[in-house]
Amino acid sequence: MLVLETLHGLRVIAAPASLDGVRWSEGTIVLRFAPDEAFALGATEVQIPDEYAIVVHESAFVGSWLTREELADSVLPHIEWPLPERRPSLAQGFVAGVPAKLWLDGDRALLLCAAAYVHELADRLG
Amino acid sequence: MWITCPRCGGRPVEEYRFGGEVRGAAAWITDAALRDVDYVWMYDNIEGVTTERWFHGAGCRRWLTIRRDTTTDTIVA
Amino acid sequence: MNDFVERRIALRWHAPRRAYDVLIIGGGGHGLATAYYLADRHGITNVAVIEAGYIGSGNSGRNTTIIRANYGIPEAVRFYQHSLELYQTLEEELDCRFMHETKGIMWLAHTETQMRAEGARSLLNLACGAETVMITPLEAKELCPQLDLSGGGRYPVLGASYHPAAATARHDRVVWGYAQGAMRHGVHVAQHTMVTGLQRHGTRVTGVETTSGPISAGVVLSAAGGRVSTIAAHAGVRLPIRTHPLQAFVTNSYDFPFPGIVSDTELLCYVSQTERGQMLVGAEFDAQPSYSQRSSFSFLQSCAAKVTRLLPFMRDLRILRQWTGICDISADFSPIMGQTGVDGFLVTTGWGTWGFKAIPAGGEQMAQLIATGRTPALLEPFRLDRFASDHTMADPGSTGTH
Amino acid sequence: MTEASRIVVDGRPMPFHPDDSVALAVLRAGEHPHHGGTICLAGDCGNCIAEVDGVAYVRTCQTPCRPGLVMHRHPAVGAPPLHPAVALDTTTPPPARRISVQRSRAEVVVVGAGESGTAAASAAQRQGRSVTLLDGGQGMEVVAIYAGPTVIVRTPGGMAHIQAEEVIVATGAAELHPVCPGNALVGLVTANAAGQLHAAGVDLGVAVAIGSPPEGVPCTPVSGRLRRFEGHARVTAVVTVDDDGGERTTPCDTVILGLGRAPRDVLSRMAEELPVTVVGPAAASFPLPPAPDAGTVCPCSRVDVDDLASVWDRGFQELELVKRATLAGTGTCQGSVCLPHLRAFIAERSGQTPEPFTARPASRQITLAEAAAGVHVDAFRRTALHDEHVSLGARMDRFGGWWRPWHYGDHVAEYWAVREGVSLGDVSTLGKILVSGPDAVESLERLYPVRVADIRSGRSRYALLLDEGGHLIDDGMILRETETRFALTFTSAGAAHAEMWLRDWIDMWGLRVHVLDRTMSLAAVNVTGPLAGRLLERVGLPAPPRFLQHVHAEIAGVPCHVMRLSFTGEVSFELHHDVHRSVELWRALLANGSDLGIVPHGLQALQGLRLEKGHVIVGMDTELDSTPRRLGMDWAVQMDKAEFVGRSALARTAGLPDQRRLVGLTMPGIAPTEGSPIWSDREVVGHVSSSFTSPLLGHAVMLGWLKRAPFPDTVTVDGRAAAVVRPPFYDPEGSRARA
């Protein structure tokens, strides 16, 4: 069974332009959920030129890194929509009927969903 | 039915929540109270192209506005 | 031949004349029943029913044929109970067979919240003259031995409300029975006659424009399904109505007994067996308004997934046919019947997913209103002006299915 | 012949040749897969349907033989039975037949690999378009074309769902079936089927041909117009009529029928208005057959020409009415066989050729299991404390899409822990939204009917959320963090809608506000009871916030947003914290409170506790049209505020007569069932929305709707008198919550 583990990072809501301009530390994976929203994996602090920005520690996502084969075998059969072709990129939508996200980067992919759904997703993906 | 989210791309309708037509009270109703009744309760119920709001709940969790032909359920530009 | 060929009903058609006392838009169950009762109960026979397609081509011919009265507010329970009772003797009255069969319906509950809602429904129904009782899972299993009480391991059945008087009837034949009854009294029914506008004289509606020419009338009643907002707009009347698709499917015919109707308050689907042995499955209407009658695969998928959890034997039954009707849902989920504020123009609408079961009472009461000019007590709560006067009829029992 | 090359037909082994379909094997054995009727071997009709491996209504001509395959004929009369063992077995789930789903995309999907289909596929490929060619001969059975267009296919290995840009239907033409007396006999085959049977080495006996004979099949052509088939069960002769009206009887074992063709159009009739192109014979117009005058016209539904005539003569005078009055065309083949004859029948009588009726899915039938393959209908959420609840013996229930503890075994003990000691409640499911921005105050002032601007930082205020009609849709707290930042809470059931509601209005107003829904990010534990403060003191909060204050503090080492409020009526602190620290916090609280008699409480106890306080639960005590006035909550609306959502409706309806009130009710003894009708003067005047037998008060307390003025002081519920009172029933001054 797929094991999804807690992901830690910063959840940031800020003006899109200010988010665009953020210099994240080396190696930070930034999942841009929306133009004004990002989840920066592993980040612990951020300088952002938006005095109203919401920056909070986020621990409510669980995820699992998958190889290209694991993605093809255990995840893709449960997705109705096409994956984006660009890499790296974020895809969001139902995976096996659970709201989930995929970070696609080269040969690997990070599958993540809210911790509240982890039992459903793991069960459905087997 | 598939709806294209400007942020996430095309997704089946099951990923969205319908948020209703973009509407206002009928301008031709001059009485304020009647106009409010109209705004609260009445619908255009258009057989044709409507402008409406959908929420991409399974994706970016943001709203989008689309135009849909209710006679065919096709999304028009 | 098969046992289901209609053998008795005879229909007689007329080209519409130029003027009638009462003109009814919409040759579905409600329109034809109103015409029948106008003629039969009130002697008003100078009546025409005009239909854009063929009679029963709208929801009267696309519904899932369930008759029940287990609604959520007293006003609705009384109205539908009256309709249910009229149905019980309708075959004799209309001199036709429409295979009316009392089967009982159970509404399964899987959570404490649903149990509470079903318990409330039962008590309210009993108080208002409709029999609904709570049953245990084992009682549900006795009524429907095919039921998986674990709900496929995911939806355990905690109990159900049971409404033994629920019935089914062949929908087309109800339409034809009323049409025949009205025609025998001299009512004219014209098919393929579409309304393109309303004639107005001052503030009064005095007739209709149709694809077959103008027809004037003392009273115009819109009993149309689906296009009622457009028709009302011709009279300057705005309606709290949205038109939504409602989907259903049937399997092929199978020879085995499945006597009752099983409905689920959480999965929002329901199952009965037709007189031909088909398993008929329906669900909640689609969330977005639409006039498209195109069926969707996602409906078939999810509905099949849901019912097979409750009734696992259905997994290997083959689906024969899937279809979609469109239904007019009112803003408070209750029907709208009667005056519109424009003289000479009445509506019967907002029938949502519960129009078929309301045909006899709706027709009878609308006829009484037209004949007497006074709103009968059963209709009083369902007047259109309830929205302006803040007397809406929000019915938690209607927001469910069928 | 080895066992490996036999199928089992009605309990008897039957040999087959490689590549035989089930129908072919049965015909090879000199039998008929059904009980009679013309055989087409093209998947068009329903004359070869049988039960195969437990699934009825399978077209055996499209089903390859497989060693051990079990076929049962349908009964000659009536529908196939369901085996009671299958129908009634619910204790063991049906064999977990995992039906795989292949999802794919193609620019062009071509249905049909005949001449026109392959040509269309090649043409599309030459244009550089990606093409999926679905070959029925390879077992790719197209079930339906849906909007998208989406093509649903049953494949030899499962199901395929194909998203296409364009679908090309190249299904060719189907051979016409004969409609005349005797057309349900055994021994009738179409020309194409005769060719297949001959090529497979099946002995056709004395074969005669009507119409165009098949090439290469030994048979005797018979001239004249087809009148009837003779025979008992099997055909023994065919009777034709010459031009001069003379009948001619030709003895035979097999009649080969080359009666012409009709477009194989079920898919194109299904796909009107979709981007679907029909090519080849499927798009051609063929002459209709002569109007039938006797015999079975619809074999699937067993409708005879007499039936058509009977309903026609009684006024059912158009295709749809004839179809509905006879059920012709509503069977397994969806009109493939009968539609040309129905149209010819109507054309002759009415003088007008009717358009074919629309086809509905499914053109190739699938089981419910096949339809459901690959779908998941809903996803339930668990809080971070789910396993803690289960290990404490909780009975879990679903509410608002979450699993929540209903009770931990003794809801009365849980109640007393709250009223007299200290208790924990998992309120992680509450909606929690952060808003921040220069327009934060402005947006909340417009969203809520209470004043927001004067809430001081570190303070909070209870608020209703109203829709445009002034109807209550949710309630919760507004907690001010800074000048421009607020935390908002919502009910568990209302949380999903709350985010949509906020974002929609803020979008529409164009206000500068950031919104973050933290409902699933933050867990929350409600520490409640007169000893709650003492427990918090032990775990690191010596000076807890006062009523309606909130602070950020570490509790047992876990950073928490501590909110002082009360739903239970006792001192309550909601500790909102990151979900990954939730178990740690929960356990620390339980451990530190053990000598205080701490126990967690479930929803059942909570519903009683809040009812004693007269707090409504949205959706339980409220209805779709519950205004603050009806709920007795006008105090939570400030009409002197500027515009807010629902304000104009409240102003308008304030002047209208109203007959609805949510009231408190008390009566001695055990509480009536929730939902009980409320009677007055032998009339139903309302119903009980919540009820509870208060252990503390020793009598029943209720909230209930009265819907008829004037409102009485005493009503009857459950046959007993109940007093109409003003809630709350417990601690009306609120001194306990503020203690």
Side-chain angles (χ1 to χ4, degrees):
Chain A
M1 186 180 266
L2 197 64
V3 178
L4 295 111
E5 290 175 340
T6 301
L7 303 170
H8 290 273
L10 288 182
R11 188 96 171 260
V12 183
I13 311 284
S18 68
L19 256 182
D20 291 342
V22 171
R23 297 176 63 91
W24 298 94
S25 56
E26 188 71 21
T28 304
I29 294 174
V30 181
L31 310 178
R32 196 73 174 262
F33 292 172
D36 65 345
E37 178 171 15
F39 178 32
L41 280 178
T44 53
E45 57 182 342
V46 63
Q47 294 296 318
I48 189 156
D50 175 352
E51 61 176 305
Y52 303 104
I54 298 171
V55 181
V56 291
H57 172 248
E58 182 61 82
S59 65
F61 285 97
V62 293
S64 182
W65 283 100
L66 308 171
T67 63
R68 186 188 289 264
E69 291 70 32
E70 287 168 332
L71 178 69
D73 293 346
S74 57
V75 178
L76 289 190
H78 297 280
I79 303 182
E80 287 187 56
W81 32 271
L83 294 185
E85 284 169 14
R86 196 163 48 84
R87 294 290 180 277
S89 63
L90 177 73
Q92 310 184 82
F94 274 146
V95 175
V98 174
K101 301 169 195 294
L102 276 171
W103 171 252
L104 303 158
D105 186 7
D107 270 352
R108 58 179 199 157
L110 175 65
L111 170 71
L112 64 158
C113 76
Y117 286 117
V118 64
H119 58 289
E120 294 276 24
L121 188 64
D123 183 46
R124 292 173 186 193
L125 299 186
Chain B
M1 186 161 73
W2 278 56
I3 295 172
T4 299
C5 170
R7 296 160 287 267
C8 303
R11 294 289 188 276
V13 67
E14 288 72 26
E15 289 201 0
Y16 299 86
R17 292 280 294 275
F18 177 67
E21 305 83 346
V22 175
R23 65 199 181 106
W28 50 269
I29 302 176
T30 49
D31 179 89
L34 290 181
R35 195 165 59 231
D36 188 65
V37 171
D38 191 82
Y39 171 68
V40 170
W41 293 111
M42 305 300 166
Y43 297 107
D44 294 333
N45 200 23
I46 290 168
E47 195 174 353
V49 176
T50 63
T51 303
E52 54 194 24
R53 300 273 281 165
W54 291 79
F55 184 74
H56 191 193
C60 59
R61 301 195 66 81
R62 296 295 187 277
W63 286 96
L64 51 133
T65 304
I66 60 168
R67 284 161 55 73
R68 179 174 62 100
D69 186 337
T70 61
T71 60
T72 59
D73 280 343
T74 46
I75 313 297
V76 296
Chain C
M1 64 164 268
N2 64 56
D3 294 338
F4 305 98
V5 176
E6 172 52 56
R7 303 239 163 250
R8 295 178 69 164
I9 292 174
L11 305 172
R12 284 187 290 264
W13 307 100
H14 292 88
R17 285 200 304 265
R18 290 298 125 212
Y20 291 93
D21 292 341
V22 180
L23 186 129
I24 297 170
I25 304 168
H30 282 272
L32 291 165
T34 304
Y36 167 77
Y37 289 111
L38 273 172
D40 189 81
R41 300 287 200 271
H42 305 282
I44 298 172
T45 58
N46 186 22
V47 175
V49 179
I50 57 174
E51 163 57 47
Y54 56 93
I55 59 169
S57 54
N59 281 337
S60 296
R62 292 168 189 274
N63 64 78
T64 47
T65 80
I66 293 169
I67 299 160
R68 61 176 177 88
N70 57 339
Y71 281 74
I73 56 174
E75 295 84 352
V77 176
R78 292 187 192 112
F79 176 85
Y80 288 100
Q81 179 65 22
H82 179 58
S83 206
L84 182 148
E85 288 166 11
L86 287 175
Y87 258 123
Q88 288 168 343
T89 55
L90 199 58
E91 289 184 312
E92 295 99 90
E93 167 157 6
L94 295 177
D95 183 29
C96 68
R97 282 265 302 117
F98 46 76
M99 302 172 187
H100 179 275
E101 195 182 340
T102 300
K103 295 179 167 175
I105 188 169
M106 64 174 83
W107 288 36
L108 301 172
H110 307 290
T111 68
E112 294 295 339
T113 310
Q114 294 155 19
M115 282 294 285
R116 193 177 172 285
E118 292 317 297
R121 177 199 306 283
S122 302
L123 292 167
L124 183 86
N125 285 188
L126 281 172
C128 298
E131 188 188 359
T132 303
V133 294
M134 286 304 283
I135 57 173
T136 65
L138 287 177
E139 288 169 327
K141 180 86 177 167
E142 272 178 39
L143 289 163
C144 178
Q146 296 91 350
L147 198 60
D148 177 0
L149 291 179
S150 82
R154 196 174 162 92
Y155 301 94
V157 175
L158 300 188
S161 68
Y162 182 60
H163 179 52
T168 61
R170 242 191 106 60
H171 49 4
D172 289 330
R173 292 195 178 189
V174 172
V175 173
W176 303 332
Y178 275 117
Q180 172 181 256
M183 289 166 171
R184 282 179 179 171
H185 283 293
V187 169
H188 287 185
V189 180
Q191 301 189 114
H192 305 289
T193 303
M194 191 194 251
V195 169
T196 55
L198 294 178
Q199 296 176 338
R200 298 178 70 170
H201 191 266
T203 57
R204 193 181 168 83
V205 167
T206 55
V208 298
E209 305 285 348
T210 79
T211 48
S212 311
I215 306 170
S216 62
V219 174
V220 173
L221 166 66
S222 170
R227 301 194 63 244
V228 61
S229 296
T230 308
I231 291 167
H234 291 309
V237 172
R238 301 258 294 162
L239 294 175
I241 293 283
R242 287 201 278 196
T243 300
H244 293 257
L246 178 73
Q247 306 198 43
F249 70 90
V250 285
T251 68
N252 282 277
S253 302
Y254 295 88
D255 182 17
F256 78 105
F258 187 85
I261 309 167
V262 174
S263 180
D264 195 288
T265 60
E266 176 169 10
L267 293 167
L268 297 176
C269 63
Y270 56 97
V271 185
S272 66
Q273 189 178 37
T274 71
E275 51 294 339
R276 297 162 76 182
Q278 304 163 322
M279 298 303 290
L280 171 54
V281 183
E284 182 65 313
F285 56 83
D286 292 0
Q288 72 281 1
S290 174
Y291 291 84
S292 167
Q293 295 191 347
R294 180 168 298 288
S295 301
S296 77
F297 186 61
S298 56
F299 160 78
L300 191 66
Q301 264 189 308
S302 64
C303 208
K306 289 170 180 177
V307 297
T308 51
R309 283 196 181 269
L310 298 173
L311 299 164
F313 80 94
M314 287 183 65
R315 288 176 56 103
D316 283 339
L317 304 195
R318 278 195 154 191
I319 295 158
L320 173 67
R321 187 175 168 85
Q322 177 188 4
W323 72 94
T324 302
I326 53 171
C327 40
D328 300 318
I329 310 283
S330 79
D332 63 358
F333 301 96
S334 287
I336 297 168
M337 290 177 272
Q339 312 281 357
T340 59
V342 172
D343 286 345
F345 181 63
L346 287 76
V347 293
T348 177
T349 184
W351 287 114
T353 62
W354 38 90
F356 177 71
K357 52 191 70 57
I359 286 171
E364 181 202 60
Q365 300 288 306
M366 283 305 296
Q368 189 178 334
L369 166 59
I370 292 168
T372 65
R374 290 187 302 277
T375 302
L378 274 182
L379 293 199
E380 187 63 35
F382 301 114
R383 296 158 55 107
L384 173 61
D385 63 10
R386 69 179 185 265
F387 294 93
S389 65
D390 198 27
H391 282 85
T392 42
M393 286 285 129
D395 184 353
S398 286
T399 53
T401 55
H402 55 286
Chain D
M1 192 67 58
T2 63
E3 284 302 312
S5 53
R6 291 164 191 265
I7 58 174
V8 181
V9 175
D10 290 338
R12 293 172 289 119
M14 187 175 282
F16 66 86
H17 290 189
D19 300 331
D20 273 2
S21 67
V22 172
L24 190 51
V26 173
L27 292 162
R28 189 189 292 287
E31 299 182 21
H32 190 288
H34 196 262
H35 296 276
T38 305
I39 290 291
C40 71
L41 297 185
D44 291 315
C45 69
N47 287 345
C48 69
I49 56 171
E51 184 189 298
V52 173
D53 290 340
V55 176
Y57 293 96
V58 172
R59 283 176 165 100
T60 55
C61 75
Q62 304 297 299
T63 309
C65 279
R66 188 173 43 67
L69 176 146
V70 176
M71 180 193 122
H72 284 281
R73 278 191 187 77
H74 286 196
V77 177
L82 268 188
H83 306 297
V86 174
L88 296 177
D89 180 15
T90 57
T91 51
T92 51
R97 205 178 292 171
R98 290 189 73 99
I99 298 163
S100 75
V101 175
Q102 287 283 329
R103 291 194 175 91
S104 62
R105 290 173 176 271
E107 286 170 83
V108 182
V109 169
V110 180
V111 184
E115 202 175 308
S116 52
T118 27
S122 310
Q125 270 160 346
R126 278 195 301 277
Q127 292 165 2
R129 305 170 80 192
S130 68
V131 175
T132 299
L133 179 62
L134 299 172
D135 182 355
Q138 298 296 312
M140 304 298 277
E141 295 191 276
V142 175
V143 175
I145 302 172
Y146 291 95
T150 302
V151 185
I152 304 299
V153 189
R154 195 206 354 251
T155 70
M159 298 293 293
H161 303 172
I162 311 172
Q163 301 286 339
E165 285 173 15
E166 185 191 358
V167 179
I168 297 177
V169 172
T171 42
E175 296 173 280
L176 291 175
H177 283 225
V179 178
C180 65
N183 65 346
L185 293 172
V186 175
L188 314 179
V189 296
T190 64
N192 180 294
Q196 287 187 50
L197 290 167
H198 179 69
V202 176
D203 179 11
L204 297 178
V206 178
V208 299
I210 307 281
S212 319
E215 279 179 32
V217 179
C219 61
T220 312
V222 177
S223 63
R225 195 158 51 81
L226 181 61
R227 167 61 60 87
R228 65 179 179 273
F229 303 106
E230 292 185 343
H232 181 71
R234 287 201 72 94
V235 70
T236 53
V238 60
V239 178
T240 51
V241 187
D242 291 333
D243 286 345
D244 58 8
E247 280 194 359
R248 184 210 317 236
T249 302
T250 311
C252 59
D253 300 319
T254 300
V255 184
I256 299 170
L257 297 143
L259 303 177
R261 299 193 298 164
R264 197 172 273 134
D265 60 358
V266 176
L267 288 176
S268 50
R269 282 189 284 125
M270 190 184 295
E272 279 164 27
E273 294 171 6
L274 295 181
V276 170
T277 314
V278 189
V279 299
S285 105
F286 292 91
L288 286 181
D293 48 24
T296 300
V297 66
C298 169
C300 297
S301 300
R302 298 168 206 254
V303 179
D304 299 336
V305 178
D306 285 351
D307 297 326
L308 304 184
S310 161
V311 301
W312 182 274
D313 292 343
R314 280 178 289 112
F316 294 84
Q317 294 177 350
E318 60 182 273
L319 183 58
E320 282 289 348
L321 290 178
V322 168
K323 174 179 124 184
R324 286 166 177 270
T326 63
L327 302 182
T330 66
T332 306
C333 84
Q334 292 277 293
S336 291
V337 167
C338 63
L339 184 53
H341 301 289
L342 288 174
R343 294 174 68 206
F345 172 89
I346 286 166
E348 184 188 60
R349 278 174 166 71
S350 69
Q352 284 180 327
T353 305
E355 288 297 309
F357 48 69
T358 306
R360 306 287 179 200
S363 76
R364 278 288 189 272
Q365 299 176 355
I366 53 173
T367 62
L368 271 74
E370 286 168 329
V375 74
H376 299 278
V377 289
D378 45 23
F380 302 131
R381 290 177 287 182
R382 291 181 182 177
T383 74
L385 297 172
H386 187 89
D387 293 344
E388 300 297 301
H389 302 316
V390 172
S391 69
L392 289 166
R395 186 168 93 60
M396 304 302 287
D397 187 35
R398 272 179 286 108
F399 185 84
W402 291 88
W403 284 105
R404 302 187 68 183
W406 178 243
H407 60 63
Y408 297 84
D410 185 347
H411 69 99
V412 179
E414 295 163 29
Y415 165 91
W416 283 115
V418 175
R419 282 280 175 263
E420 298 200 326
V422 61
S423 176
L424 302 184
D426 180 1
V427 292
S428 302
T429 57
L430 290 173
K432 312 169 208 78
I433 293 181
L434 269 181
V435 296
S436 169
D439 296 331
V441 171
E442 173 68 20
S443 63
L444 299 185
E445 289 284 11
R446 293 197 203 179
L447 278 165
Y448 287 102
V450 286
R451 205 162 280 116
V452 176
D454 63 351
I455 303 172
R456 284 179 285 151
S457 296
R459 298 298 179 98
S460 63
R461 185 164 289 162
Y462 172 78
L464 308 177
L465 208 58
L466 306 178
D467 69 11
E468 298 98 314
H471 308 123
L472 186 64
I473 53 174
D474 206 3
D475 66 350
M477 302 298 293
I478 303 171
L479 304 103
R480 191 163 204 165
E481 302 259 22
T482 68
E483 273 304 292
T484 57
R485 183 165 163 140
F486 294 81
L488 311 173
T489 67
F490 304 88
T491 66
S492 302
H497 185 253
E499 185 195 6
M500 294 168 56
W501 187 251
L502 250 65
R503 289 194 186 281
D504 196 16
W505 285 110
I506 288 169
D507 275 10
M508 289 295 177
W509 291 326
L511 293 175
R512 295 163 299 164
V513 184
H514 297 313
V515 176
L516 175 61
D517 185 346
R518 305 203 76 202
T519 300
M520 286 191 280
S521 299
L522 296 179
V525 174
N526 185 25
V527 185
T528 182
L531 304 180
R534 205 190 305 172
L535 174 59
L536 287 192
E537 205 173 309
R538 291 181 184 180
V539 289
L541 194 65
R546 284 179 296 168
F547 191 59
L548 294 183
Q549 290 185 343
H550 59 108
V551 297
H552 291 267
E554 282 201 2
I555 307 287
V558 176
C560 289
H561 188 185
V562 182
M563 306 172 183
R564 173 87 186 265
L565 41 84
S566 185
F567 192 52
T568 62
E570 306 298 336
V571 171
S572 299
F573 302 92
E574 272 181 20
L575 315 179
H576 292 227
H577 54 281
D578 280 355
V579 287
H580 78 293
R581 305 289 299 274
S582 199
V583 171
E584 175 189 346
L585 177 66
W586 175 266
R587 287 181 180 174
L589 289 166
L590 282 180
N592 280 281
S594 60
D595 64 313
L596 304 176
I598 192 168
V599 290
H601 63 271
L603 277 180
Q604 188 177 10
L606 184 64
Q607 290 190 1
L609 290 158
R610 65 86 204 184
L611 178 52
E612 288 179 341
K613 287 298 294 177
H615 293 312
V616 301
I617 293 181
V618 178
M620 190 174 286
D621 300 298
T622 68
E623 302 183 335
L624 297 177
D625 49 10
S626 298
T627 53
R629 170 169 72 157
R630 290 172 175 168
L631 295 165
M633 297 177 86
D634 277 336
W635 53 269
V637 176
Q638 270 130 26
M639 290 300 285
D640 55 346
K641 260 180 55 165
E643 191 53 46
F644 59 86
V645 177
R647 186 182 184 284
S648 55
L650 292 182
R652 168 173 55 82
T653 56
L656 295 172
D658 192 25
Q659 306 201 341
R660 300 186 194 177
R661 288 286 180 280
L662 184 71
V663 298
L665 301 162
T666 61
M667 64 159 63
I670 302 293
T673 312
E674 294 183 332
S676 292
I678 299 174
W679 299 79
S680 177
D681 296 336
R682 298 175 172 275
E683 295 275 337
V684 176
V685 296
H687 69 276
V688 173
S689 61
S690 298
S691 70
F692 182 52
T693 311
S694 168
L696 186 79
L697 302 173
H699 60 75
V701 296
M702 293 167 265
L703 289 175
W705 281 99
L706 296 181
K707 294 191 171 176
R708 205 181 63 178
F711 303 115
D713 296 329
T714 311
V715 293
T716 304
V717 182
D718 192 28
R720 294 178 281 160
V724 177
V725 298
R726 198 180 164 78
F729 309 98
Y730 171 71
D731 185 26
E733 298 78 28
S735 54
R736 295 185 67 89
R738 289 182 171 81

